[in-house]
Amino acid sequence: TAAHPRAGLELLVASGIAQLVLPELPALRLEVDEHHRHKDVYDHSMIVLEQAMDLEGPSDGPPESVPGPDLVLRLAALLHDIGKPATRRFESGGGVSFHHHEVVGAKLVAKRLKALRFDKDTTRKVARLVELHLRFHGYGDGQWTDSAVRRYVVDAGDLLPRLHRLTRADCTTRNVKKARRLAAAYDDLEVRIERLQAEEEFKALRPELDGNEIAQVLGISPGPVLGRAYKHLLQVRTDDGPVGKDVARERLLAWWAEQPESAQGPSGG
């Protein structure tokens, strides 16, 4: 959280200390192939960290501005690609791939931060940001449905302001045209999120039938089965938006007909 953390981090790596306390960082120094078909992941990560810092809000700003210095955002920016060394594959055409490096990276982040005695909340948030940092790249030219945009928001939860900044910071391409296209696409996504948030209050997103109503419709008591039914209706609400109680009831009954418990009649859950 210093003013210029890159200098200290590079010193940790150069001195060999990072190898002892944060070995995933020097491991990012993958050899750069002579044709430069893939980026220097280590240098890229340092740049992403600095760009994320530039996107932090003032220290006295509102939470949605991500007031700096923000430890969670900075750790996520520094470590977002630590899954790449373990997932690097050289393709037959000469290219390089890192399939599912965000999933692998999230697990590595959780393991390392736990070993470094970070608190559970910080560890959870940083790992989740690393897991989500590639999600936007499926957006393309805005082909996502409203359902997909809702899913993006719901999955990010209270990390959405940080995810916005991490995703934008992750663009380090020297191709000005590509950088502008990515920035414009993310601008479009943020506008769509704001529009949907104006129509629906995401923070209060709930199924259109509450627990008591679900229990009454299905004739069941509180318990794990009721919990699964609630999650199903929450999924319906997230995917399709407000559908009304009648449709929600129909969707619930259709789901219930497919469950093995439905054949047993009312139960205690």
Side-chain angles (χ1 to χ4, degrees):
T1 54
H4 304 287
R6 180 171 181 169
L9 291 165
E10 290 182 335
L11 181 58
L12 281 177
V13 172
S15 66
I17 296 175
Q19 191 63 46
L20 301 174
V21 296
L22 189 59
E24 294 83 2
L25 185 57
L28 292 175
R29 294 182 298 181
L30 303 175
E31 63 273 16
V32 180
D33 63 288
E34 59 185 67
H35 301 295
H36 296 281
R37 288 199 180 96
H38 67 279
K39 298 176 184 176
D40 178 339
V41 184
Y42 174 77
D43 189 57
H44 164 75
S45 298
M46 292 295 185
I47 294 172
V48 173
L49 168 61
E50 293 179 320
Q51 293 187 164
M53 290 167 56
D54 290 339
L55 295 173
E56 291 175 334
S59 58
D60 59 350
E64 60 269 21
S65 72
V66 187
D70 188 85
L71 179 64
V72 169
L73 175 62
R74 294 186 182 197
L75 283 172
L78 178 67
L79 303 175
H80 74 286
D81 274 346
I82 68 170
K84 280 192 170 181
T87 58
R88 182 172 60 159
R89 299 289 181 273
F90 294 99
E91 306 296 343
S92 57
V96 180
S97 66
F98 304 95
H99 295 305
H100 306 301
H101 77 268
E102 73 282 12
V103 177
V104 173
K107 293 177 180 176
L108 290 173
V109 163
K111 184 177 179 181
R112 178 54 55 196
L113 295 189
K114 182 179 179 181
L116 290 172
R117 302 294 190 269
F118 278 90
D119 63 274
K120 290 182 179 179
D121 189 53
T122 297
T123 300
R124 176 189 65 80
K125 288 178 177 177
V126 176
R128 186 61 170 155
L129 283 170
V130 170
E131 185 180 359
L132 293 173
H133 84 272
L134 283 184
R135 184 73 65 85
F136 161 71
H137 293 284
Y139 189 71
D141 296 319
Q143 300 101 326
W144 276 6
T145 61
D146 283 354
S147 170
V149 175
R150 287 191 197 96
R151 172 60 51 202
Y152 188 78
V153 174
V154 171
D155 286 351
D158 60 354
L159 294 173
L160 186 63
R162 290 184 176 104
L163 183 58
H164 284 334
R165 285 155 180 79
L166 176 60
T167 302
R168 288 184 180 277
D170 194 23
C171 177
T172 62
T173 178
R174 294 176 184 174
N175 184 323
V176 176
K177 202 170 183 179
K178 182 179 179 182
R180 285 176 178 166
R181 187 174 72 250
L182 287 170
Y186 208 84
D187 287 344
D188 181 67
L189 175 58
E190 288 204 60
V191 168
R192 289 184 65 187
I193 288 173
E194 289 176 5
R195 174 177 61 78
L196 284 171
Q197 284 177 323
E199 295 171 359
E200 314 167 24
E201 183 51 67
F202 276 112
K203 290 180 181 178
L205 199 61
R206 298 285 186 277
E208 290 180 271
L209 301 178
D210 62 26
N212 291 332
E213 291 171 316
I214 293 172
Q216 185 176 10
V217 171
L218 301 183
I220 60 176
S221 302
V225 177
L226 180 57
R228 281 172 30 223
Y230 184 92
K231 286 181 180 178
H232 174 71
L233 281 188
L234 180 59
Q235 182 79 46
V236 171
R237 177 69 176 79
T238 300
D239 290 347
D240 300 339
V243 296
K245 284 184 178 290
D246 290 342
V247 173
R249 191 175 292 108
E250 291 173 8
R251 300 285 288 275
L252 175 63
L253 289 170
W255 171 85
W256 180 239
E258 298 174 357
Q259 307 307 305
E261 295 89 349
S262 66
Q264 301 171 14
S267 71

